[in-house]
Amino acid sequence: MVAALSTYHSDSLDADNLAVRDITIARLISKVRTIAAFAYKKSIGEPFVYPKHCLSYCANFLNMMFSIPAEEYEIDPELVRVMNLLLILHADHEQNCSTSTVRMVGSSKANLFASISAGICALWALFTAGPTRK
């Protein structure tokens, strides 16, 4: 789904334009949260919950993941704070397989959606391989 975003946002393909790159980064960060929430809701057979513009990034993610359209959902501010910290720590994960892949694909001037998609694919084996042997 991340790779497909480049067809939806065809104005975001100029990797050399700093302004376009900044908008693309913001779009990507926002869309990944929505894609993850949609995938989760689909997997448990619940209806998708659309983002609310009045909520922060993490509060919105929690709302899309755990609310039900017919009921009011209370967002725990402590959980939002913890998620913010977790995402900051996760963003600073240094040079691993996915980071190396994104940098290598990006160095070819591929668009950001394709580069991030490649990084996601590089992690695919980690989540599908089952337990590792020692």
Side-chain angles (χ1 to χ4, degrees):
M1 290 180 83
V2 172
L5 289 173
S6 63
T7 62
Y8 185 72
H9 296 291
S10 58
D11 59 330
S12 302
L13 304 181
D14 184 4
D16 292 324
N17 185 325
L18 185 60
V20 168
R21 201 174 349 164
D22 287 346
I23 290 168
T24 305
I25 290 167
R27 282 179 177 158
L28 180 62
I29 290 170
S30 186
K31 301 278 186 195
V32 166
R33 155 192 74 181
T34 306
I35 291 167
F38 173 81
Y40 174 70
K41 286 296 203 176
K42 179 83 172 154
S43 76
I44 62 172
E46 288 186 4
F48 179 66
V49 176
Y50 288 95
K52 292 183 178 180
H53 296 292
C54 62
L55 296 176
S56 68
Y57 185 88
C58 288
N60 221 332
F61 181 64
L62 291 169
N63 184 63
M64 288 189 293
M65 290 284 287
F66 303 115
S67 68
I68 298 170
E71 298 177 15
E72 192 63 34
Y73 177 70
E74 289 252 352
I75 300 168
D76 183 352
E78 184 65 16
L79 189 53
V80 171
R81 188 184 75 73
V82 168
M83 280 206 60
N84 277 321
L85 291 173
L86 179 67
L87 290 176
I88 290 168
L89 289 172
H90 183 70
D92 187 24
H93 66 294
E94 304 205 7
Q95 194 72 19
N96 64 14
C97 177
S98 62
T99 305
S100 297
T101 303
V102 170
R103 292 176 65 144
M104 185 169 293
V105 172
S107 71
S108 72
K109 303 269 184 179
N111 71 71
L112 185 64
F113 299 118
S115 300
I116 297 298
S117 181
I120 292 168
C121 290
L123 294 175
W124 176 79
L126 293 175
F127 296 105
T128 59
T132 58
R133 294 185 179 173
K134 294 184 179 184

